[in-house]
Structures are given as structure tokens and as C-alpha cells.
Amino acid sequence: MKVLLPGATLGVMGGGQLGRMFVHAAQQLGYFTAVLDPDPASPAGLVSHHHVHADYLDEQGLARLADLAAAITTEFENVPARALEQLAAHRFVAPGADAVAIAQDRAREKAHFVRCGVAVAPYAVIETPQQLEAVPDALLPGILKTARLGYDGKGQVTVADRVALAKAWEQLKRVPCVLEKRLALDFECSVVVARGQDGRMANLPVQRNLHRGGILAVTEVYEGNIPAAQAAQAVRATQAIAEGLGYVGVLCVEFFGLADGSLVVNELAPRPHNSGHWSLDGSDVSQFELQVRTLAGLPLVAPRRHSPAVMLNLLGDLWWRQGSEQPPPWDQVLALPGAHLHLYGKQSARPGRKMGHLTLTAESAAAARATALQAAALLGIEAF
Ligand code: ADP
Ligand code: MG
């Protein structure tokens, strides 16, 4: 196993906010960084030592990144597997192209969960009209999801019956899809795990997540955020999923908690995750430092959550409160104790766009929740 000590250059495919926070963590540890992203104003490119302005499949751009960086990771799952393979021919790449390819396809992802012995929501793969016909009634009402390229609830249609299902598949241009039974969720949660080249793992505590309109809105992390038995089960399942992939890097698995006390896995992200952002302020090791450590072959130590934390996602909508674009009242928000503001350097605040996040830490869960609710009220985020 090759260890890259601080002073080396670490590369990342993609220049979004996840890449930006990876770059920050790498630089804090004394690494140089290189980002590949076509956008000259990408959030990560703006703060990186090197920024290769190239498309993800541009061979020259990839060669330049491999030239600059001793090891390369990725910050979004839709990076073409081919690009990772080209890089891997020259450099250490984590996660590997095969693990990323599984995460890019909901059907393969679910098959992997089942292989690992982790329960999934009842589902069927729909690639042909015959498979559409053969869908069992028990899957309805359901949610039809495109197998590829969905995120933040995009590429999903809720369907009540077979007629709606057929219409939805047309609407999604008959691309390969997965139909899932619509479950009554008691809660949602996720687990971030890092797995090193030596197979050792370290995880963050279970995160309780609230989604609105298919987008993560709030993450709460403290003792008792979800029932202990389901929390332990979620951690074990996440470890089994990472192990089964022979994964190296940081991975996040999302789960649904059901009212009968059971837990089913939803999906995985082969990278740090929005629900793990609290770890920058509430844990002594963040998910981005874990990503740096796995990429550089450094030891993984168990992160310790030192403060209860509540994270609020800051979507572009918050900039549009009185019909015109204006920044939210940051001065008032920053007057709250334990408020940690992270803005990603994005220029235009489009509705639904992830502009930043705010984490509230405190000595008790009740205090963190109370200040988070105050912040939410100041920002115009609905109470939770
Ligand atoms: P994305 O890739 O867009 O995050 P998800 O599959 O995670 O897609 O779905 C987004 C959200 O939609 C989930 O976090 C959950 O709130 C809701 N959802 C998805 N699948 C189901 C389901 N089978 N039953 C109930 N709610 C669901
Ligand atoms: Mg999701």
C-alpha cells in the first residue's frame, strides 16, 4: 500500500461543493490539489491549486489531471466510468470505476444490496413493455425512478395505478427504470463510511434526514435521533455494502425506517454526502478528511461526534424572498451560538440549487434543535 504524505498533490473529478470541501480538507492537511471541471467558476476550481478546465471525457484534460495528481478521487457519481478507467491506468483512483458504475445504476445497485443480504423496498426492473405488463399489483402505488442519472428527486414519478405507470414510463421516454413500492416512511437516515486500502473502516454516526420535494432539507445527528436498534442495523448494513464492493474511499448509504421497526436500504452514493456535512463542525474528523485519508493511504481513525448537530441545507430559494434576489440575513443567523455557515461560492441563486449549508452545534440535542429552528425562522425555512 502506497502512502502519499502531505506535500503530494491529490486530484478530484468534478468541481462542485463536494469537491470544494474535499479540496479544503486536503489543503488543511498540507496537500496540493487539482480539480478537473469544465466550468471556470466551479466551486472547487475556485479554491484549488490547479484547475483543469476540461470535459470529463476529454483525453487531454484527463492526461493533464493524471500528470498533476498522484491519486485521484471523484465528487459526483455520474463521472463516466471510462474516465476513471483512463485515469486508473496511470494513477491510484478511489473509488474504483466498477463501484461507481454500480452506484450509477439503480437496478445494479439494488441487486448489490440484495447480494449483501440487506433488505430493499419491493421493486421491479422495467426495461421492456413485457416487464411493464408483468409488474405485480403489490408494487402500486409506487415510485417509478429512472435507473440512471436521477438525483435530488429528479427522474422520479409517483404512480397510483397501472394506467399512471404506463403514462409515466412514456413520459420518462421508456428508458430503463425501477418501480418501487411507495412505503410509509417513519424516518429517513444515512450512514457515511470510509474504507481504506487495507479494508479497515471508520464510520460517522447515523444521520437522521428530512427530505422536502426529493431534496435533503435537514439532517440531525445526536444520541437517540433514531431508535438504537435501527441505528446499529444501518451501520452494519453500510459496512456490509462497502465490504461487498471491495470499496476504497468514502461511501454514503441512505435508508428508510418503517413504522414496524424495520429498515430498508434506499440508495448509495460513492462519495461524501450532503447528509454528512455536519461532520465538518460536529465531529473531530469530517467526511472530507476521511476521503483525503483513504485516497492518500493514511490511517483511518474513528471519528468522534463531539457535539449534537443540526444541518440546514441552503437552497437558492432562500435568496428570493421578496420577489428579487437578495442575500439572506447572515448577520442575524451568525449571531446564533454554534452557527457554522458554509457557502459554496456559487454566483446565481437558482431555486433548488444547493448554495450552502448551515450547521448548528450545541451541548445538547435540544439546544441544537432550538437554535436550528431559530435559524430556520430567520431564513424562511419551514419548521421541522
Ligand atoms: P435521489 O437519487 O433523487 O436522492 P431517492 O431514491 O433517494 O432519489 O428518492 C428521493 C426521496 O424520495 C427519498 O429520500 C424519499 O424521501 C422519497 N422516496 C424515494 N423512494 C421512496 C419510496 N419507495 N417510498 C417512499 N418515499 C420514497
Ligand atoms: Mg437519495
Side-chain angles (χ1 to χ4, degrees), residues 210 212 217-220 310-315 317-318 321 328-330 332-334 336-337 339 341 357-360 367-384:
L210 170 67
R212 287 177 174 152
V218 182
T219 295
E220 302 187 53
V310 178
M311 185 221 61
L312 306 178
N313 241 359
L314 304 173
L315 301 181
D317 311 62
L318 305 182
R321 288 175 71 188
W330 300 131
Q332 293 173 50
V333 168
L334 289 169
L336 296 169
L341 178 63
H357 69 271
L358 179 76
T359 300
L360 291 306
R369 269 191 60 86
T371 38
L373 286 166
Q374 281 179 278
L378 286 169
L379 291 166
I381 296 172
E382 194 191 321
F384 48 89

Side-chain angles (χ1 to χ4, degrees), residues 35-41 45 51-55 58 61:
V35 169
L36 184 143
D37 191 289
D39 177 4
H51 183 181
V52 181
H53 300 172
D55 200 75
D58 178 314

Side-chain angles (χ1 to χ4, degrees), residues 208-232:
R208 182 184 182 119
N209 303 323
L210 170 67
H211 290 83
R212 287 177 174 152
I215 306 181
L216 183 68
V218 182
T219 295
E220 302 187 53
V221 192
Y222 41 74
E223 200 56 45
N225 58 351
I226 69 163
Q230 281 155 304

Side-chain angles (χ1 to χ4, degrees), residues 211 254 266-267 273:
H211 290 83
E254 292 181 39
N266 175 27
E267 60 172 356
H273 192 258

Side-chain angles (χ1 to χ4, degrees), residues 7-324:
T9 300
L10 302 179
V12 57
M13 289 288 284
Q17 63 269 16
L18 299 176
R20 178 180 173 102
M21 290 182 271
F22 167 81
V23 162
H24 284 151
Q27 292 178 348
Q28 181 180 319
L29 282 167
Y31 290 94
F32 292 87
T33 59
V35 169
L36 184 143
D37 191 289
D39 177 4
S42 76
L46 288 175
V47 297
S48 178
H49 296 97
H50 305 280
H51 183 181
V52 181
H53 300 172
D55 200 75
Y56 305 115
L57 277 170
D58 178 314
E59 287 192 14
Q60 281 182 5
L62 292 168
R64 171 104 181 103
L65 182 67
D67 236 22
L68 286 165
I72 296 153
T73 188
T74 172
E75 65 117 37
F76 73 118
E77 59 256 56
N78 289 320
V79 55
R82 253 197 308 141
L84 293 181
E85 279 157 15
Q86 185 187 325
L87 292 169
H90 306 281
R91 293 296 185 203
F92 177 65
V93 173
D98 43 348
V100 174
I102 288 177
Q104 284 173 349
D105 185 320
R106 283 187 198 275
R108 292 186 65 188
E109 189 174 89
K110 285 191 194 296
H112 177 71
F113 296 150
V114 172
R115 252 196 319 274
C116 293
V118 180
V120 298
Y123 77 100
V125 175
I126 299 178
E127 290 175 337
T128 65
Q130 289 75 20
Q131 286 171 322
L132 180 74
E133 277 304 309
V135 160
D137 285 333
L139 293 183
L140 295 163
I143 303 180
L144 186 67
K145 305 179 177 181
T146 60
R148 305 180 68 85
L149 298 173
Y151 69 98
D152 288 346
K154 294 187 179 66
Q156 298 193 12
V157 186
T158 301
V159 291
D161 52 31
R162 306 192 84 90
V163 176
L165 172 63
K167 241 174 77 184
W169 197 45
E170 287 298 328
Q171 186 191 325
L172 294 173
K173 310 225 162 61
R174 294 181 165 223
V175 295
C177 282
V178 166
L179 175 70
E180 266 176 53
K181 184 180 173 64
R182 191 179 167 86
L183 302 172
L185 311 185
D186 188 23
F187 61 83
E188 296 190 59
C189 67
S190 59
V191 178
V192 170
V193 70
R195 188 170 181 276
Q197 296 169 49
D198 58 2
R200 291 212 190 155
M201 291 190 264
N203 64 277
L204 295 177
V206 177
Q207 300 146 175
R208 182 184 182 119
N209 303 323
L210 170 67
H211 290 83
R212 287 177 174 152
I215 306 181
L216 183 68
V218 182
T219 295
E220 302 187 53
V221 192
Y222 41 74
E223 200 56 45
N225 58 351
I226 69 163
Q230 281 155 304
Q233 198 187 338
V235 171
R236 281 197 306 273
T238 302
Q239 289 167 340
I241 287 163
E243 191 87 54
L245 287 169
Y247 196 83
V248 177
V250 168
L251 173 95
C252 181
V253 181
E254 292 181 39
F255 298 89
F256 298 146
L258 308 182
D260 64 2
S262 64
L263 191 79
V264 299
V265 61
N266 175 27
E267 60 172 356
L268 74 84
R271 50 168 173 78
H273 192 258
N274 199 163
S275 62
H277 289 359
W278 69 276
S279 61
L280 288 165
D281 303 298
S283 171
D284 62 353
V285 183
S286 74
Q287 60 172 348
F288 302 102
E289 178 169 342
L290 291 173
Q291 186 182 22
V292 172
R293 285 177 180 242
T294 56
L295 187 61
L298 292 173
L300 292 178
V301 293
R304 183 177 63 86
R305 178 184 62 68
H306 53 70
S307 301
V310 178
M311 185 221 61
L312 306 178
N313 241 359
L314 304 173
L315 301 181
D317 311 62
L318 305 182
W319 274 248
W320 293 92
R321 288 175 71 188
Q322 269 95 36
S324 67

